[in-house]
Amino acid sequence: MVSKTEARETVLLATKEPEYNSRLSNEDIPLLNEVDGLHRRLSNRQIQWIAIGGSIGTGLFVSIGWGLIEGGPGSLLLGFTLYCGLLALVNSCMAEMTCFMPVVGGWVPMGSKWVNEAYGFMAGWNFFLYEAVLIPFEISALNLVLTYWRDDIPVAAVVAACAVLYGVINLFAVRAYGESEFWLSSGKVVLIFMLFFFTFITMVGGNPNHDAYGFRYWKTPGSFATNMHTGALGRFEGFLGAFFQASFTCVGPEYVAMVAGEAVYPRKTIKAAFKTMYWRFGIFFILGALCVGIVLPYNDPTLNEILSTEGAGTGASSPYVIAMQNMGISVLPDLTNALMITSIFSAGNSYVYCATRTLYSLSVNSHAPRFLQKTTKSGVPIYCFCVTMIFTLLSFLSVGRSASEGVIWLANITQAAQLLDYIFMCTTYIFFYHALKAQNIPRSGPGSPLVYRGWWQPWTAWIGLGLMSLTLGGYGYTTFYKFDIGTFFTYYAMCFICIILFFGFMFGKGTKFVKSTEADLVWERPQIDEYERGIEVPEGVWEELLGIVRRRIGNGRSSERAGERGMEKVKV
């Protein structure tokens, strides 16, 4: 058996010896079709659509209305554009690390290996709680969206149905999860492009009133709304409202990183997913914010009344649905709401997957009970899944109290955890960057082990870290106008929880920060290299989709020919 030190020396010789893995036997480096009990079964197209499924949820279609009424269309567009720019900085960091080391748990175990074991412990539990709490958030939102048609649907029945469906999808092999998420996410893509076409067609006059309204609402009532105060301060606070709404709505890098441990040929498929993330930011989020500001004015009485009384959870509060009703368009609002339900269900499905894998990663790294490492034959962490599904019970908050209050309460708590995730990613990258430099591992050139190189590093990471920290510190600023300790902890509870987790683990276990010269940059690289060398390079997304279509057509023709032969036998 090769020791860890010898393995490190072997990997670092990659710049001089391309065939360095020949020094390691098959006993030392097993093929990673199975990694830590999980299976590499997610194809290129499934990964791309999982990234879409996790990044598009309730916020883009419903909650975005809050950003419109608080900031107006101009602030909404600026806020989403600025925040997507910040998220692009994080994506650049996360892409480089994940493509270099596509391991189970994404960036969570990287914090333990390259920063401090306590840091990985804190980051892992923060992300698990974030994903797990988002599951009841999406189920509560689903309940509210269903009230668009009728308000007597039993909440408990919807919660139970969602739990059963999530169980059926996630308890099969990871390939089954990937396939289900592919089709669910396809519904999201159909919905968002349908809304884009609706915006363009109606703004140029393609509506029942033949009113080419264009950018009318940018002039009347105006591009920038005031919030909390009047004048310039009010307009700035309106921008902050839109910006903080963007910080809740726009996500993405964490979901690509989380599937890296179960991706086929990860360094190709994960790299492609990260590279297309920038296009998703522009098309889905920035263009989506522009469309919302076009179809509806920020002072629309219906939007303001629904948000002030029912909250941003009901399908009737969607700016798109309200705009359709204002124009007298029928059927389309029902179709939008129906597709919105599949979108919300898909987001919850992604959260179940990510929470389960995060808890499993924590267990593998001895940061959670060992019994959670139990997996089924198909590679599903069964006990981690059971623990995750307990969080669905929080959805019953909607039974005994206002459902909108429950949704807002859960959203505020998870928003801090989401921002903390991006801060952890940037911090981990800074340690990773300095470790590469200290160990004389080149970032570019023929001998570089980096499959993806983030641009303008490490300044990209430092800027992302600083601006995300400012966003976290300021997003609950309204609580200080009329201070209420309950509301304050709703916004910042996760910050205090993370501080307790970090220092509690560090002092309890006596962990120290990892020196750059001692950071483990070998880790699972030899196994991953050997695995990728033993399989064929997968097809691109569109090649894979075209192949599926060809096979379906071929199977259809084969069935038709078989039927014709059967008819000939009958005639004989």
Side-chain angles (χ1 to χ4, degrees), residues 92-101 110 113-115 425-439 441-443 449-454 457-458 514 516 519-523 525:
S92 180
C93 299
M94 200 65 249
E96 183 175 318
M97 292 191 295
T98 306
C99 293
F100 174 79
M101 196 70 69
M110 295 176 187
K113 291 286 186 178
W114 300 335
V115 183
M425 292 177 194
C426 292
T427 304
T428 303
Y429 179 85
I430 292 170
F431 277 79
F432 167 70
Y433 176 89
H434 288 292
L436 289 174
K437 188 175 181 179
Q439 298 182 28
I441 298 177
R443 287 180 48 78
L450 298 182
V451 178
Y452 182 104
R453 286 185 294 276
Q457 294 289 10
V514 179
S516 298
D520 188 359
L521 298 177
V522 177
W523 198 359
R525 277 193 61 219

Side-chain angles (χ1 to χ4, degrees), residues 35 72 78 80 207 213 236 290 297 302 308 341-342 345 369 382 389 424 430 446 450 475 504 539:
V35 50
L78 288 175
F80 270 70
N207 54 72
Y213 58 90
F236 176 69
L290 175 64
T302 304
S308 62
I341 289 174
T342 64
F345 180 83
I382 182 64
M389 291 304 292
F424 296 154
I430 292 170
L450 298 182
Y475 95 104
E539 298 176 316

